[in-house]
Amino acid sequence: MVQPVNEYMIQFPADWDGECGEMEDAPEATFMEMACDQIATYHEDLRFDISTDGACYKIIRTWYVMNWCAYDGISAPIEVPNDARGVKISHEDYDAFGYYTYKQIIRVKDETAPVISYDGPFEFCSTNRFCTIVEGQYSIYPT
């Protein structure tokens, strides 16, 4: 009987803290196939808009990694424990089971103050239907 050879390495990503607009910088799961392996990755995000650790919002990103050459097609995935620095596993871990999940924590903060520019004076129409040039100082308050 011919036995398949599974030899692979999976790197689950570290947790990530960043600014709004930088989500594309969050690390992703990577893998290396070194034998007869067909590895696929997928993730789902669960967003929480309230956080107690100073973040604007927090995402729990669940990674699904499957080696189609090793997975039996019916068993539940093995949940790899989170480590803030990321986790590396290989075919030697978990008896080359072939289907894993991992939860990555992503915290998004907004610590950049808004920038408002004004080139004044500006023209506007008043209620008396006359358009005039207005100069002066205006206060703008964030809402």
Side-chain angles (χ1 to χ4, degrees):
M1 175 192 259
V2 177
Q3 294 291 326
V5 176
N6 298 112
E7 191 174 341
Y8 55 89
M9 184 85 59
I10 301 167
Q11 176 68 54
F12 289 105
D15 291 349
W16 184 80
D17 292 338
E19 283 276 326
C20 293
E22 296 177 350
M23 278 292 296
E24 65 275 357
D25 295 337
E28 297 189 356
T30 58
F31 59 88
M32 188 167 45
E33 302 166 330
M34 298 171 279
C36 178
D37 299 296
Q38 292 182 348
I39 296 178
T41 64
Y42 170 76
H43 69 79
E44 290 181 339
D45 291 347
L46 184 58
R47 179 180 165 145
F48 295 91
D49 288 325
I50 298 174
S51 176
T52 59
D53 58 4
C56 293
Y57 62 92
K58 187 183 292 189
I59 295 172
I60 298 176
R61 177 168 287 171
T62 303
W63 287 96
Y64 299 87
V65 179
M66 183 178 294
N67 182 351
W68 287 102
C69 292
Y71 178 56
D72 66 13
I74 56 173
S75 299
I78 290 176
E79 188 171 326
V80 178
N82 174 274
D83 184 317
R85 299 166 298 181
V87 175
K88 184 181 288 186
I89 66 170
S90 76
H91 60 282
E92 296 173 345
D93 301 311
Y94 306 105
D95 295 324
F97 181 72
Y99 185 23
Y100 311 96
T101 62
Y102 179 81
K103 293 190 185 320
Q104 175 189 24
I105 308 301
I106 297 172
R107 291 173 206 82
V108 180
K109 298 180 180 185
D110 185 4
E111 297 178 330
T112 304
V115 175
I116 299 173
S117 61
Y118 167 71
D119 292 335
F122 64 94
E123 188 174 315
F124 76 98
C125 291
S126 64
T127 56
N128 64 7
R129 295 187 288 167
F130 295 105
C131 289
T132 58
I133 300 293
V134 177
E135 292 186 40
Q137 185 174 9
Y138 297 93
S139 298
I140 301 174
Y141 301 98
T143 58

